[in-house]
Amino acid sequence: AQKITQTQPGMFVQEKEAVTLDCTYDTSDPSYGLFWYKQPSSGEMIFLIYQGSYDQQNATEGRYSLNFQKARKSANLVISASQLGDSAMYFCAMREIQGAQKLVFGQGTRLTINP
Amino acid sequence: KAGVTQTPRYLIKTRGQQVTLSCSPISGHRSVSWYQQTPGQGLQFLFEYFSETQRNKGNFPGRFSGRQFSNSRSEMNVSTLELGDSALYLCASSSRTSGAQETQYFGPGTRLLVL
């Protein structure tokens, strides 16, 4: 069964510093997708970045990049030059090709950016 | 393009009552998935509808049901509410054309409180 583990319940970072949020996953399906979402206190889940299991390069989207290490089954999110508005919950999620539209989420990491 | 909309945003019910939540997907998206988010269990997949048919279902009791209309709008219903049904209910839409890399876009959620 697919599983996502986020080992950092909370992180505190100074504004303008880079931050890495950890995510490890477990699946037996060779084809899968990994996603990161941001959830501010308002509740809406905001899509940040996607990495496919067959992608050769790490995904990047503006200040977000994904450090994908397939052999270690890890997909860490890196936020460069953090901003106060980055304070939120961050969720790592996975979908197997066999799992239709079902996303499996980790428990999340609460990121707090200090001025 | 307008995002996913959910109504109502907040709801208070008492035990034993039933509730209906509504979700309108992004224009052109035909897949709607529902998730329940609680502090204890995190984010859990409820079900997915595509072309008015339920395609996938999570591990929830039969009190949780849903449907999708021809315009892709979806409703979920919870009957005989229990205190444990208090949660944030999130709806997500996708075009369901790209397999594992398909990105789901979430609405703002409906916060349900059962007293």
Side-chain angles (χ1 to χ4, degrees), chain B residues 16-69:
Chain B
Q17 288 186 311
Q18 74 165 10
V19 66
T20 299
L21 312 181
S22 180
C23 171
S24 293
I26 291 170
S27 177
H29 284 187
R30 296 168 61 194
S31 171
V32 174
S33 298
W34 289 88
Y35 295 83
Q36 181 197 65
Q37 185 177 23
T38 61
Q41 298 299 315
L43 279 148
Q44 296 185 91
F45 173 80
L46 279 157
F47 30 64
E48 181 219 353
Y49 285 87
F50 178 76
S51 293
E52 303 177 61
T53 302
Q54 188 180 90
R55 296 303 179 103
N56 207 355
K57 190 179 189 325
N59 189 24
F60 279 83
R63 300 185 297 107
F64 291 81
S65 63
R67 59 177 176 169
Q68 187 179 35
F69 301 95

Side-chain angles (χ1 to χ4, degrees), chain A residues 31-35 37 39-47 50 52 91 95-107, chain B residues 9 31 33 35 37 39-43 45 48 55-56 88 90 94 96 98-109 111:
Chain A
S31 180
Y32 51 88
L34 295 159
F35 302 80
Y37 286 88
Q39 187 178 42
S41 57
S42 60
E44 182 174 358
M45 300 284 282
I46 302 168
F47 167 70
Y50 162 83
F91 291 93
R95 181 171 65 241
E96 297 172 336
I97 190 82
Q98 302 297 329
Q101 295 297 296
K102 173 186 174 182
L103 282 171
V104 174
F105 287 86
Q107 288 299 105
Chain B
R9 292 293 312 277
S31 171
S33 298
Y35 295 83
Q37 185 177 23
Q41 298 299 315
L43 279 148
F45 173 80
E48 181 219 353
R55 296 303 179 103
N56 207 355
L88 176 66
L90 291 161
S94 68
R96 210 181 196 271
S98 307
Q101 71 182 62
E102 188 70 58
T103 297
Q104 291 186 26
Y105 296 92
F106 284 80
R111 290 189 187 274

Side-chain angles (χ1 to χ4, degrees), chain A residues 24-101:
Chain A
T24 57
Y25 60 92
D26 189 23
T27 179
S28 56
D29 194 330
S31 180
Y32 51 88
L34 295 159
F35 302 80
W36 277 91
Y37 286 88
K38 170 184 178 182
Q39 187 178 42
S41 57
S42 60
E44 182 174 358
M45 300 284 282
I46 302 168
F47 167 70
L48 296 178
I49 195 167
Y50 162 83
Q51 181 82 44
S53 58
Y54 294 118
D55 292 345
Q56 296 297 311
Q57 296 190 337
N58 289 338
T60 60
E61 287 286 349
R63 294 187 299 112
Y64 304 107
S65 61
L66 205 152
N67 184 0
F68 181 47
Q69 298 188 43
K70 193 171 182 177
R72 293 185 177 183
K73 293 189 174 180
S74 74
N76 299 338
L77 176 70
V78 180
I79 306 175
S80 63
S82 57
Q83 302 170 357
L84 296 178
D86 293 333
S87 294
M89 284 290 290
Y90 288 80
F91 291 93
C92 180
M94 176 173 67
R95 181 171 65 241
E96 297 172 336
I97 190 82
Q98 302 297 329
Q101 295 297 296

